[in-house]
């Protein structure tokens, strides 16, 4: 179903960076090639510069097959080739120490499933991968100083067969508005 949707959206710039659910697929190389054929820029340890309505954006991606400690700020900063508005796609929201050292404007992430279960009537998640109980980095927008971190709760309805409770899946839409001169 994903490829059907991607083929319908071919005229819209699309970008992908590998998350942990794809990392263990036996057909990951083929999957990335099918994404490319559908018009998706695969950005694992790469960047792409696009112009939208006269504004240039540079989007880079780091795959989550590595640990945070395997990336240096210099490596990630080295993915960017311009001084344009910089966006980093990185699946792991809890890599905040690394993100605070990166020279970019926006980090887009997921992985935490919104905390899987929410305390009813709150936005407090109960548990998230690599963050344990009552995690901080599960959804929404966070200020990291010079950059914003946006975390999507994602679309998956379960995590290792554990259903979501009080935590609806989400598709995040980010509207970027150019600064006025």
């Amino acid at each position: 179903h994903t490829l059907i949707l991607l083929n319908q959206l071919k005229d819209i710039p699309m970008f992908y960076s590998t998350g942990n659910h794809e990392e263990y697929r036996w057909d990951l190389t083929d999957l990335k090639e099918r994404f490319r054929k559908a018009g998706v820029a695969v950005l694992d340890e790469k960047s792409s510069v696009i112009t939208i309505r006269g504004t240039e954006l540079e989007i880079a991606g780091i795959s989550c097959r590595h640990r945070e400690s395997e990336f240096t700020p210099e490596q990630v900063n080295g993915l960017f080739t311009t001084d344009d508005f910089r966006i980093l796609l990185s699946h792991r929201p809890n890599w905040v120490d690394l993100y605070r050292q990166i020279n970019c404007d926006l980090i887009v992430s997921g992985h935490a499933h919104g905390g899987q279960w929410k305390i009813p009537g709150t936005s407090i998640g109960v548990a998230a991968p690599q963050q344990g109980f009552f995690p901080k980095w599960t959804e929404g927008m966070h200020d990291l100083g010079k950059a914003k971190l946006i975390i999507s709760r994602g679309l998956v309805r379960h995590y290792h067969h554990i259903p979501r409770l009080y935590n609806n899946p989400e598709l995040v839409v980010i509207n970027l508005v150019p600064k006025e001169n």
Side-chain angles (χ1 to χ4, degrees):
H1 295 5
T2 301
L3 288 168
I4 293 169
L5 175 63
L6 294 177
N7 280 305
Q8 295 295 315
L9 299 173
K10 266 190 173 178
D11 295 333
I12 297 171
M14 295 179 284
F15 304 90
Y16 168 82
S17 183
T18 305
N20 63 301
H21 289 278
E22 297 83 31
E23 288 294 335
Y24 304 108
R25 289 178 61 125
W26 61 270
D27 65 341
L28 179 59
T29 302
D30 181 54
L31 178 69
K32 288 181 182 182
E33 186 55 33
R34 289 186 289 168
F35 282 179
R36 285 184 192 97
K37 286 181 180 175
V40 177
V42 176
L43 298 179
D44 289 342
E45 286 69 62
K46 295 179 187 168
S47 75
S48 178
V49 178
I50 63 166
T51 303
I52 299 176
R53 296 184 187 151
T55 300
E56 288 195 341
L57 305 170
E58 185 168 16
I59 303 170
I62 55 176
S63 66
C64 75
R65 79 177 72 108
H66 305 290
R67 292 186 167 85
E68 178 181 12
S69 61
E70 294 178 40
F71 288 106
T72 66
E74 294 77 25
Q75 285 175 301
V76 180
N77 283 327
L79 298 173
F80 294 102
T81 60
T82 72
D83 291 326
D84 298 321
F85 189 87
R86 294 175 170 187
I87 300 169
L88 177 66
L89 305 180
S90 177
H91 190 65
R92 309 264 185 177
N94 54 306
W95 289 1
V96 197
D97 292 338
L98 175 66
Y99 301 150
R100 285 192 170 118
Q101 299 176 65
I102 307 239
N103 186 16
C104 71
D105 303 287
L106 176 66
I107 299 108
V108 180
S109 190
H111 188 62
H113 303 263
Q116 200 60 28
W117 295 353
K118 296 266 188 218
I119 296 173
T122 74
S123 63
I124 299 170
V126 175
Q130 286 79 44
Q131 295 185 66
F133 292 109
F134 304 108
K136 179 176 183 177
W137 310 104
T138 62
E139 68 173 305
M141 186 166 66
H142 302 268
D143 191 342
L144 300 182
K146 58 187 171 190
K148 301 285 186 202
L149 168 63
I150 294 180
I151 306 167
S152 168
R153 291 192 312 264
L155 296 172
V156 174
R157 293 202 161 276
H158 57 81
Y159 173 70
H160 294 291
H161 306 289
I162 299 170
R164 289 178 183 251
L165 291 175
Y166 307 106
N167 175 15
N168 292 327
E170 74 175 341
L171 178 65
V172 174
V173 176
I174 302 168
N175 290 314
L176 298 176
V177 179
K179 290 182 181 177
E180 294 195 27
N181 294 332

